Amino acid sequence: MSKPKILVARAVFPETIARLSQHFDVESNQADETWSKAELARRLADKVGAFTTGSDRIDAEVLAAAPHLKICANMAVGYNNFDVPAMTARGVLATNTPDVLTETTADFGFALLMATARRMTESEHYLRAGKWTKWSYDMFAGSDIHGATLGILGMGRIGQGIAKRGAHGFGMNVIYHNRSRLSAELETECKARYVSKEELLKTADHLVLVLPYSAASHHTIGAAELAQMKPTATLVNIARGGIVDDAALAAALKNQQIAAAGLDVFEGEPSVHPDLLTVPNVVLTPHIASSSVPTRLAMANLAADNLIAYLTTNKPITPLNPEVLAA
Ligand code: DGY
């Protein structure tokens, strides 16, 4: 009997392809070519499953070209590349990779915060350029992490991981804002106090963004919000591009309206707003917050497990639209 056909839309670990090949007839993109939306749709025409990443847009137009498609398994916890209502309407299951990346991503958020507040990349560039000729009392003087007020916008699992690192590891005063308030138990565990968005912006020494992207969270941080922050504040975005208005942020950094920013995600990435590339007080990384070898492997395995479980037993592990199962 022939195996069901699936598409792996981006390059992944060879062992993931090998595992999937035990169950499916796999068309993969191990060359990691950049496919247009039309190309992705064309390749999905005869597939029942797709292994996708955040750069593969699945919407009504793509679904219309993929009449046999039953599941798209995203190798990411974020799924703003999926039009979930359109997938549900078509009876296509969506899955993501929650939990397996929480601690690694929280580690990275904290590392980016520290690199930003202590001006690590800016000072490294200075050293590499051969400009370090003597010690000076205020050389790359940054702001402190320990004892400072850590603001977190978006208090899901990753936000909670960052809160715990700040409160328990660095004695930070943690405040947060979220669509819904945490239970009293979780607030105690994270040593975090719920505040309004306005108080968060005004009082945080370091503000970390960890909220999901949606039309509602587009430009949550723009010129008006940046104007409310302390001139000594740092801003860290490990959530999604588009949550910050990058042009407004570049202007705020240039005018020293805030002290510094650490960015792992960008509007329109992999393009980066040109002004962000010229201001010195920003640490830039290419969307790697979840990228440790064990975590990326765990994410790939979970996405593969979702495909295998759903297409062989009808029981996906982390469904985003379980109503498809009931239907
Ligand atoms: C996620 O899992 O959403 C990350 O941003 C992808 O690395």
Side-chain angles (χ1 to χ4, degrees), residues 211-221 242-244:
L211 64 165
Y213 181 79
S214 68
S217 64
H218 184 72
H219 287 186
T220 293
I221 301 293
I243 288 175
V244 175

Side-chain angles (χ1 to χ4, degrees), residues 159-238:
Q160 291 168 39
I162 291 170
K164 285 180 203 159
R165 281 160 178 76
H168 301 292
F170 290 82
M172 299 180 89
N173 164 37
V174 180
I175 54 178
Y176 78 98
H177 184 75
N178 195 41
R179 264 178 316 185
S180 50
R181 196 172 161 169
L182 294 183
S183 67
E185 208 181 347
L186 276 179
E187 283 189 351
T188 306
E189 219 177 280
C190 297
K191 281 197 173 174
R193 184 168 63 85
Y194 183 82
V195 295
S196 66
K197 184 179 166 194
E198 196 189 354
E199 187 178 342
L200 188 83
L201 292 169
K202 285 189 171 153
T203 56
D205 294 312
H206 307 289
L207 178 60
V208 182
L209 309 178
V210 209
L211 64 165
Y213 181 79
S214 68
S217 64
H218 184 72
H219 287 186
T220 293
I221 301 293
E225 290 74 22
L226 290 161
Q228 292 179 65
M229 292 175 68
K230 293 181 180 180
T232 50
T234 60
L235 175 72
V236 169
N237 187 8
I238 57 163

